Amino acid sequence: MDPKINEINGYLVSIFNDVLMIEERTLQTSQFKDVSIKEMHTIDAIGMYQEHTTSEVAKKLGITVGTLTVSVNNLVRKGYVNRVRSEKDRRVVKLALTKQGRLLYRLHDKFHRDMVRETLTEMSEEEAEVLMKGLLNLHSFLERTKEQLPE
Amino acid sequence: MDPKINEINGYLVSIFNDVLMIEERTLQTSQFKDVSIKEMHTIDAIGMYQEHTTSEVAKKLGITVGTLTVSVNNLVRKGYVNRVRSEKDRRVVKLALTKQGRLLYRLHDKFHRDMVRETLTEMSEEEAEVLMKGLLNLHSFLERTKEQLPE
DNA sequence: CGATATTGTTTGATTATCAAACTATTTGAC
DNA sequence: GTCAAATAGTTTGATAATCAAACAATATCG
């Protein structure tokens, strides 16, 4: 069983690094040169469809609210994000993507989908099913681990 | 097919984030509080078994040599890495882990193996096989993509 | 030998990050 | 209703991560 563990582990690590690297490089050679990969993930976390508060987005990204404030400052300056004070509760800031931001969001989303689609092309329905089950297993293990984390 | 793509994509993104977060948190609550997740990956890339040059490690990590030099300065100061000038070619610097560095390397490696082992526990041989095939597919797609990358 | 190439370091600028101090607003106790 | 406490976000100071470009040391090749 151990060689299998090593092999799977190796693929995972390699996949992580490659995805990050490819995303970064793709951004830098696109019309969105002024967006870093971290900023891209912030844009992704803000999302297309609902408005999210600063706290919500920070939690989703696993960073502090202060860090997000700084990053959003840059994204607002660059024209990807809008800040809207909530009318209901004037302490709350809602974050939303600008037109530019939504364009970038869709591009990034497409990259992810293409990546997965390509992976599935040579697999049968059943194999795809099993891959999904494996990822689900891994995912739930990680969620459990997270809960047990000290603090 | 599209809902499957979304689901797999979602798992992948979530797995990426969780692994990073758990690694970070685990480090910060261990005896190795002075090591960041990035530094951990540098230690991983330097590796246990052979000596690697600065250029080799930088390439493996996908960062510039300058960035690595700075990071290695810190890791040397903290006692995890040794720099050795090559005798054969005096321009070349070989990087190697100290005893501390090797200890940390093994701990990190164990985390990864446990993660994968746990994922496989509830799967049959065939399912594990298919998961591996899926990851291999994804991996080779990414390697191909990397090659086609502009510059 | 001297020009060119290679390997790594240094530097200056920008981004990412946190913790802690701070501001503005809301909520809740009296 | 007012004031203390709680909440949401911003600012600030410090440090790490990153790149590109200038630089230094060494090797190679004509």
Side-chain angles (χ1 to χ4, degrees), chain B residues 53-55 65-66 69 73 83 85 91-93:
Chain B
T53 69
T54 302
S55 297
V65 194
T69 294
N73 286 346
R83 266 197 182 100
R85 279 268 161 205
R91 291 170 305 181
V92 171
V93 170

Side-chain angles (χ1 to χ4, degrees), chain B residues 27-61:
Chain B
L27 272 176
Q28 290 319 304
T29 55
S30 74
Q31 59 178 305
F32 300 105
K33 286 188 222 318
D34 61 345
V35 177
S36 76
I37 185 67
K38 298 271 181 176
E39 288 175 326
M40 183 64 249
H41 288 149
T42 301
I43 286 170
D44 192 73
I46 291 173
M48 293 275 281
Y49 306 113
Q50 305 107 320
E51 291 184 326
H52 293 285
T53 69
T54 302
S55 297
E56 283 166 1
V57 174
K59 185 169 183 194
K60 196 164 166 188
L61 289 168

